[in-house]
Amino acid sequence: MEKQWRCTVCGYIHNGENPPDICPICGADASFFELVSQVDEANMSPEVKSNAKPIVVPSDREAAIRQALYRISYGLYIITAQAEGRDNGQCANTCFQITAEPARLAIGINKLNYTHELIQKSEKFGVSVLNQTGHDYARRFGYRTGRDVDKFEGLAVHRGESGVLLLNDVLVTMEASVVGQLDAGTHTLFLADVTAGEILQEGDPMTYAYFRASK
């Protein structure tokens, strides 16, 4: 019989030989899953089965902060940039709307990444919003550096009005012009006005939790 694992944070039940790397509901990692025995399952009332949300007290302050951050939901995006004849892109989970009037968003980019260098030089970037089948894009743009390889090779892409490359097989794309920067330690938070956008597909966006649970 297939094993069942219960998330001790939110009560989510996972079927499989091993617990998932991360809970698709609350974002808790595998260490917060417990094996559900047949006896436990038989003794549980229907109400408990559907609403069980036991409180787990973290062992220390840092663990509490880490688990609190797991509850924040993230999308997955491909951030692209172009400067001095070079194109690059990276996978990022920090991209969010700031205001509607004007249309303004912010992204967080690691200072060591090549994309960060190109954004600072050009003061513009593109955002491609992945759909829920975008796992290969997340891996291609997330696991290697554009200083060594052409991440766009063989992909269906097009150039936006600003000159940045944008992916074709995504939900939507946006182009943005940087209007401010905030030094966030290892990362820079770029504040930017959205200058163009296009709807390419209908569907649900990829989230970090969904990517981890379905990879």
Side-chain angles (χ1 to χ4, degrees):
M1 179 179 292
E2 192 174 33
K3 294 180 180 178
Q4 287 192 322
W5 302 84
R6 178 171 53 237
C7 176
T8 58
V9 176
C10 71
Y12 167 75
I13 299 296
H14 171 80
N15 295 312
E17 187 62 27
N18 298 299
D21 291 336
I22 192 166
C23 178
I25 304 301
C26 71
D29 63 37
S31 66
F32 282 80
F33 277 79
E34 63 181 7
L35 185 63
V36 179
S37 70
Q38 292 182 356
V39 174
D40 291 340
E41 193 68 11
N43 291 336
M44 251 197 238
S45 69
E47 182 177 358
V48 172
K49 288 181 182 180
S50 61
N51 297 304
K53 295 185 179 180
I55 297 174
V56 177
V57 180
S59 58
D60 54 50
R61 183 183 183 87
E62 289 188 5
I65 293 173
R66 184 169 61 252
Q67 291 307 315
L69 290 174
Y70 277 146
R71 306 308 187 274
I72 299 177
S73 178
Y74 298 94
L76 279 183
Y77 314 92
I78 303 303
I79 307 299
T80 50
Q82 187 270 345
E84 300 175 347
R86 294 294 302 274
D87 293 289
N88 193 53
Q90 69 162 78
C91 187
N93 61 13
T94 307
C95 177
F96 51 96
Q97 180 180 342
I98 299 296
T99 59
E101 293 292 340
R104 184 168 288 174
L105 54 76
I107 60 171
I109 303 294
N110 192 301
K111 294 176 181 178
L112 299 179
N113 291 359
Y114 187 37
T115 303
H116 184 280
E117 179 182 329
L118 297 183
I119 293 176
Q120 285 207 315
K121 288 180 177 179
S122 66
E123 297 189 328
K124 58 187 177 182
F125 60 86
V127 179
S128 294
V129 180
L130 296 178
N131 59 40
Q132 290 189 345
T133 62
H135 298 72
D136 288 343
Y137 289 129
R139 296 186 186 98
R140 174 187 281 247
F141 286 92
Y143 294 161
R144 52 186 181 171
T145 175
R147 292 186 175 91
D148 301 330
V149 297
D150 179 3
K151 298 183 183 182
F152 298 99
E153 184 177 4
L155 295 184
V157 298
H158 62 283
R159 287 203 182 275
E161 297 174 3
S162 64
V164 297
L165 284 178
L166 302 164
L167 300 180
N168 290 358
D169 186 21
V170 293
L171 296 179
V172 304
T173 69
M174 290 172 283
E175 297 169 71
S177 179
V178 175
V179 296
Q181 300 182 32
L182 175 65
D183 188 331
T186 60
H187 289 58
T188 296
L189 193 66
F190 292 102
L191 181 66
D193 286 339
V194 179
T195 58
E198 55 184 353
I199 309 297
L200 300 179
Q201 300 173 4
E202 293 294 335
D204 295 321
M206 173 80 79
T207 65
Y208 184 64
Y210 183 86
F211 174 77
R212 292 293 301 274
S214 59
K215 67 178 182 179

